[in-house]
Amino acid sequence: MDRHEPESYGDAFADVYDEWYADVSDVEGTVARVVELAGDHPVLELGIGTGRVALPLAAAGLSVSGIDASAAMLDRLRAKPGGGALAVARGDMADVDALAPPPGARFGVVLAAFNTLFNLVDADEQRRCLAGAAARLAPGGCVVVEGNVFDPAGLGPAGDSVAVRSLTPERVVLSVSRADPAGHRLSGQFVDLVDGAPVRLRPWALRTTTPAELDDLAGAGGLVLAERWGGWRGEPFTDESDVHVSVYRIAPV
Ligand SMILES: C[S@@+](CC[C@H](N)C(=O)[O-])C[C@H]1O[C@@H](n2cnc3c(N)ncnc32)[C@H](O)[C@@H]1O
């Protein structure tokens, strides 16, 4: 389960991503908030993927660029109307400072949408990514991270689970996952079974960074938490929140 490379997730999911995850988060709310936060500056999306969020941001008038490690995801982005016009770099988002296109650009918002930052599966990579994003902010800019609230207590005991994602006469998709709270890791495979076709495995892995840990990692990169909501529409963040939208700004010296 640990053969995880930066391109692993995207290459495994590109062909089903838009079908499976079109509604995984509040895109309309994301666009409204990012427009407000970016002001007149461009936006960089980390792990831009197929453009699920980036294309609506661009349609709202923002100048959007992105980084993604997966050629397969970027091919899907480029095939969409407007996708070819975005400046995109292929590579590891942990190297954001060096890679973010266009070279030398400074961003009003560097966005890591739904759980994308947690695709970096160790804390050092997340820290490096946040520090690199901070280095590319325009004056007054911010780094925005959206994700599930990973609470080690809420992850439950270490262990494995199997669930049915979808079931039709032609196709069964099983979700097989493993929780390792001590190792801050959730990982799994979707097992895609089509009668008469080879089995398709779709591996994924997340480092389950809690909001408090994320604040520490961001702090090491010179960022400080400015806002944390329970959603893009300013919902209060409470003990009951499943999701957080965390806004970091350069810490005052
Ligand atoms: C969950 S998808 C999210 C895509 C898009 N941001 C969205 O919200 O629809 C995660 C994306 O991050 C990319 N990714 C994962 N690890 C990466 C890494 N280390 N560097 C760059 N991109 C990465 C994947 O290829 C994929 O496109």
Side-chain angles (χ1 to χ4, degrees), residues 114-131:
F114 201 75
N115 283 343
T116 296
L117 185 72
F118 308 126
N119 281 287
L120 295 171
V121 292
D122 78 56
D124 281 342
E125 288 180 346
Q126 292 183 3
R127 186 184 300 113
R128 189 153 63 90
C129 181
L130 290 162

PDB file of all heavy atoms in Angstrom, residues 114-131:
ATOM      1  N   PHE A 114     -10.480  20.723  -1.551  1.00  0.00           N
ATOM      2  CA  PHE A 114     -10.872  19.581  -0.723  1.00  0.00           C
ATOM      3  C   PHE A 114      -9.830  18.448  -0.569  1.00  0.00           C
ATOM      4  O   PHE A 114      -9.640  17.634  -1.472  1.00  0.00           O
ATOM      5  CB  PHE A 114     -12.166  18.995  -1.291  1.00  0.00           C
ATOM      6  CG  PHE A 114     -12.899  18.192  -0.276  1.00  0.00           C
ATOM      7  CD1 PHE A 114     -13.594  18.817   0.732  1.00  0.00           C
ATOM      8  CD2 PHE A 114     -12.850  16.814  -0.298  1.00  0.00           C
ATOM      9  CE1 PHE A 114     -14.247  18.081   1.705  1.00  0.00           C
ATOM     10  CE2 PHE A 114     -13.504  16.064   0.670  1.00  0.00           C
ATOM     11  CZ  PHE A 114     -14.206  16.709   1.674  1.00  0.00           C
ATOM     12  N   ASN A 115      -9.190  18.410   0.580  1.00  0.00           N
ATOM     13  CA  ASN A 115      -8.242  17.353   0.992  1.00  0.00           C
ATOM     14  C   ASN A 115      -7.000  17.232   0.101  1.00  0.00           C
ATOM     15  O   ASN A 115      -6.199  16.304   0.303  1.00  0.00           O
ATOM     16  CB  ASN A 115      -8.924  15.979   1.081  1.00  0.00           C
ATOM     17  CG  ASN A 115      -9.767  15.841   2.338  1.00  0.00           C
ATOM     18  OD1 ASN A 115      -9.605  16.612   3.281  1.00  0.00           O
ATOM     19  ND2 ASN A 115     -10.644  14.870   2.368  1.00  0.00           N
ATOM     20  N   THR A 116      -6.824  18.160  -0.851  1.00  0.00           N
ATOM     21  CA  THR A 116      -5.702  18.011  -1.772  1.00  0.00           C
ATOM     22  C   THR A 116      -4.360  18.105  -1.045  1.00  0.00           C
ATOM     23  O   THR A 116      -3.431  17.343  -1.351  1.00  0.00           O
ATOM     24  CB  THR A 116      -5.801  19.068  -2.900  1.00  0.00           C
ATOM     25  OG1 THR A 116      -6.991  18.799  -3.646  1.00  0.00           O
ATOM     26  CG2 THR A 116      -4.618  19.011  -3.834  1.00  0.00           C
ATOM     27  N   LEU A 117      -4.239  19.012  -0.072  1.00  0.00           N
ATOM     28  CA  LEU A 117      -2.950  19.133   0.633  1.00  0.00           C
ATOM     29  C   LEU A 117      -2.569  17.812   1.291  1.00  0.00           C
ATOM     30  O   LEU A 117      -1.390  17.468   1.399  1.00  0.00           O
ATOM     31  CB  LEU A 117      -3.016  20.240   1.695  1.00  0.00           C
ATOM     32  CG  LEU A 117      -1.695  20.508   2.395  1.00  0.00           C
ATOM     33  CD1 LEU A 117      -0.718  21.222   1.458  1.00  0.00           C
ATOM     34  CD2 LEU A 117      -1.878  21.320   3.662  1.00  0.00           C
ATOM     35  N   PHE A 118      -3.594  17.052   1.730  1.00  0.00           N
ATOM     36  CA  PHE A 118      -3.324  15.825   2.491  1.00  0.00           C
ATOM     37  C   PHE A 118      -2.881  14.673   1.594  1.00  0.00           C
ATOM     38  O   PHE A 118      -2.539  13.598   2.077  1.00  0.00           O
ATOM     39  CB  PHE A 118      -4.545  15.473   3.356  1.00  0.00           C
ATOM     40  CG  PHE A 118      -4.988  16.644   4.189  1.00  0.00           C
ATOM     41  CD1 PHE A 118      -6.287  17.113   4.158  1.00  0.00           C
ATOM     42  CD2 PHE A 118      -4.077  17.318   4.989  1.00  0.00           C
ATOM     43  CE1 PHE A 118      -6.674  18.212   4.907  1.00  0.00           C
ATOM     44  CE2 PHE A 118      -4.447  18.415   5.746  1.00  0.00           C
ATOM     45  CZ  PHE A 118      -5.749  18.873   5.710  1.00  0.00           C
ATOM     46  N   ASN A 119      -2.890  14.920   0.262  1.00  0.00           N
ATOM     47  CA  ASN A 119      -2.263  13.958  -0.652  1.00  0.00           C
ATOM     48  C   ASN A 119      -0.752  13.935  -0.475  1.00  0.00           C
ATOM     49  O   ASN A 119      -0.090  13.012  -0.962  1.00  0.00           O
ATOM     50  CB  ASN A 119      -2.588  14.307  -2.105  1.00  0.00           C
ATOM     51  CG  ASN A 119      -3.967  13.865  -2.521  1.00  0.00           C
ATOM     52  OD1 ASN A 119      -4.224  12.682  -2.707  1.00  0.00           O
ATOM     53  ND2 ASN A 119      -4.874  14.810  -2.680  1.00  0.00           N
ATOM     54  N   LEU A 120      -0.201  14.978   0.132  1.00  0.00           N
ATOM     55  CA  LEU A 120       1.219  14.926   0.518  1.00  0.00           C
ATOM     56  C   LEU A 120       1.270  14.092   1.794  1.00  0.00           C
ATOM     57  O   LEU A 120       0.736  14.515   2.833  1.00  0.00           O
ATOM     58  CB  LEU A 120       1.760  16.336   0.751  1.00  0.00           C
ATOM     59  CG  LEU A 120       1.805  17.224  -0.491  1.00  0.00           C
ATOM     60  CD1 LEU A 120       2.146  18.662  -0.119  1.00  0.00           C
ATOM     61  CD2 LEU A 120       2.817  16.690  -1.504  1.00  0.00           C
ATOM     62  N   VAL A 121       1.882  12.931   1.710  1.00  0.00           N
ATOM     63  CA  VAL A 121       1.657  11.943   2.766  1.00  0.00           C
ATOM     64  C   VAL A 121       2.660  11.999   3.908  1.00  0.00           C
ATOM     65  O   VAL A 121       2.650  11.111   4.753  1.00  0.00           O
ATOM     66  CB  VAL A 121       1.557  10.503   2.194  1.00  0.00           C
ATOM     67  CG1 VAL A 121       0.289  10.351   1.377  1.00  0.00           C
ATOM     68  CG2 VAL A 121       2.794  10.144   1.376  1.00  0.00           C
ATOM     69  N   ASP A 122       3.503  13.009   3.942  1.00  0.00           N
ATOM     70  CA  ASP A 122       4.211  13.198   5.214  1.00  0.00           C
ATOM     71  C   ASP A 122       4.251  14.670   5.598  1.00  0.00           C
ATOM     72  O   ASP A 122       4.088  15.559   4.763  1.00  0.00           O
ATOM     73  CB  ASP A 122       5.569  12.476   5.273  1.00  0.00           C
ATOM     74  CG  ASP A 122       6.670  13.184   4.547  1.00  0.00           C
ATOM     75  OD1 ASP A 122       6.918  14.355   4.872  1.00  0.00           O
ATOM     76  OD2 ASP A 122       7.274  12.544   3.663  1.00  0.00           O
ATOM     77  N   ALA A 123       4.428  14.869   6.887  1.00  0.00           N
ATOM     78  CA  ALA A 123       4.297  16.214   7.452  1.00  0.00           C
ATOM     79  C   ALA A 123       5.340  17.162   6.868  1.00  0.00           C
ATOM     80  O   ALA A 123       5.054  18.342   6.639  1.00  0.00           O
ATOM     81  CB  ALA A 123       4.419  16.152   8.971  1.00  0.00           C
ATOM     82  N   ASP A 124       6.545  16.658   6.606  1.00  0.00           N
ATOM     83  CA  ASP A 124       7.595  17.530   6.055  1.00  0.00           C
ATOM     84  C   ASP A 124       7.198  18.076   4.685  1.00  0.00           C
ATOM     85  O   ASP A 124       7.463  19.225   4.369  1.00  0.00           O
ATOM     86  CB  ASP A 124       8.918  16.776   5.925  1.00  0.00           C
ATOM     87  CG  ASP A 124       9.616  16.684   7.260  1.00  0.00           C
ATOM     88  OD1 ASP A 124       9.268  17.471   8.164  1.00  0.00           O
ATOM     89  OD2 ASP A 124      10.500  15.818   7.396  1.00  0.00           O
ATOM     90  N   GLU A 125       6.577  17.222   3.879  1.00  0.00           N
ATOM     91  CA  GLU A 125       6.150  17.675   2.545  1.00  0.00           C
ATOM     92  C   GLU A 125       5.048  18.726   2.666  1.00  0.00           C
ATOM     93  O   GLU A 125       5.015  19.708   1.924  1.00  0.00           O
ATOM     94  CB  GLU A 125       5.638  16.501   1.719  1.00  0.00           C
ATOM     95  CG  GLU A 125       6.734  15.565   1.258  1.00  0.00           C
ATOM     96  CD  GLU A 125       6.166  14.425   0.434  1.00  0.00           C
ATOM     97  OE1 GLU A 125       4.940  14.216   0.439  1.00  0.00           O
ATOM     98  OE2 GLU A 125       6.975  13.755  -0.214  1.00  0.00           O
ATOM     99  N   GLN A 126       4.115  18.502   3.601  1.00  0.00           N
ATOM    100  CA  GLN A 126       3.039  19.491   3.796  1.00  0.00           C
ATOM    101  C   GLN A 126       3.641  20.820   4.264  1.00  0.00           C
ATOM    102  O   GLN A 126       3.238  21.892   3.802  1.00  0.00           O
ATOM    103  CB  GLN A 126       2.017  18.970   4.806  1.00  0.00           C
ATOM    104  CG  GLN A 126       1.221  17.788   4.281  1.00  0.00           C
ATOM    105  CD  GLN A 126       0.146  17.293   5.238  1.00  0.00           C
ATOM    106  OE1 GLN A 126      -0.071  17.871   6.307  1.00  0.00           O
ATOM    107  NE2 GLN A 126      -0.520  16.214   4.874  1.00  0.00           N
ATOM    108  N   ARG A 127       4.620  20.728   5.160  1.00  0.00           N
ATOM    109  CA  ARG A 127       5.265  21.949   5.676  1.00  0.00           C
ATOM    110  C   ARG A 127       5.977  22.683   4.537  1.00  0.00           C
ATOM    111  O   ARG A 127       5.865  23.902   4.386  1.00  0.00           O
ATOM    112  CB  ARG A 127       6.270  21.572   6.778  1.00  0.00           C
ATOM    113  CG  ARG A 127       6.879  22.772   7.487  1.00  0.00           C
ATOM    114  CD  ARG A 127       7.934  22.364   8.504  1.00  0.00           C
ATOM    115  NE  ARG A 127       7.427  21.492   9.546  1.00  0.00           N
ATOM    116  CZ  ARG A 127       7.755  20.227   9.740  1.00  0.00           C
ATOM    117  NH1 ARG A 127       8.634  19.635   8.935  1.00  0.00           N
ATOM    118  NH2 ARG A 127       7.249  19.538  10.728  1.00  0.00           N
ATOM    119  N   ARG A 128       6.691  21.931   3.714  1.00  0.00           N
ATOM    120  CA  ARG A 128       7.435  22.530   2.590  1.00  0.00           C
ATOM    121  C   ARG A 128       6.476  23.182   1.595  1.00  0.00           C
ATOM    122  O   ARG A 128       6.730  24.264   1.072  1.00  0.00           O
ATOM    123  CB  ARG A 128       8.267  21.434   1.907  1.00  0.00           C
ATOM    124  CG  ARG A 128       9.246  21.918   0.873  1.00  0.00           C
ATOM    125  CD  ARG A 128      10.410  20.951   0.757  1.00  0.00           C
ATOM    126  NE  ARG A 128      10.015  19.633   0.309  1.00  0.00           N
ATOM    127  CZ  ARG A 128       9.961  19.242  -0.962  1.00  0.00           C
ATOM    128  NH1 ARG A 128      10.273  20.090  -1.910  1.00  0.00           N
ATOM    129  NH2 ARG A 128       9.603  18.018  -1.281  1.00  0.00           N
ATOM    130  N   CYS A 129       5.375  22.525   1.367  1.00  0.00           N
ATOM    131  CA  CYS A 129       4.375  23.057   0.441  1.00  0.00           C
ATOM    132  C   CYS A 129       3.806  24.376   0.979  1.00  0.00           C
ATOM    133  O   CYS A 129       3.701  25.365   0.243  1.00  0.00           O
ATOM    134  CB  CYS A 129       3.264  22.015   0.268  1.00  0.00           C
ATOM    135  SG  CYS A 129       1.983  22.525  -0.867  1.00  0.00           S
ATOM    136  N   LEU A 130       3.462  24.397   2.256  1.00  0.00           N
ATOM    137  CA  LEU A 130       2.878  25.611   2.834  1.00  0.00           C
ATOM    138  C   LEU A 130       3.896  26.753   2.833  1.00  0.00           C
ATOM    139  O   LEU A 130       3.557  27.904   2.522  1.00  0.00           O
ATOM    140  CB  LEU A 130       2.387  25.317   4.255  1.00  0.00           C
ATOM    141  CG  LEU A 130       1.151  24.400   4.317  1.00  0.00           C
ATOM    142  CD1 LEU A 130       0.988  23.800   5.719  1.00  0.00           C
ATOM    143  CD2 LEU A 130      -0.112  25.165   3.918  1.00  0.00           C
ATOM    144  N   ALA A 131       5.153  26.431   3.139  1.00  0.00           N
ATOM    145  CA  ALA A 131       6.194  27.477   3.133  1.00  0.00           C
ATOM    146  C   ALA A 131       6.414  27.998   1.717  1.00  0.00           C
ATOM    147  O   ALA A 131       6.578  29.208   1.502  1.00  0.00           O
ATOM    148  CB  ALA A 131       7.503  26.920   3.708  1.00  0.00           C
TER     149      ALA A 131
END
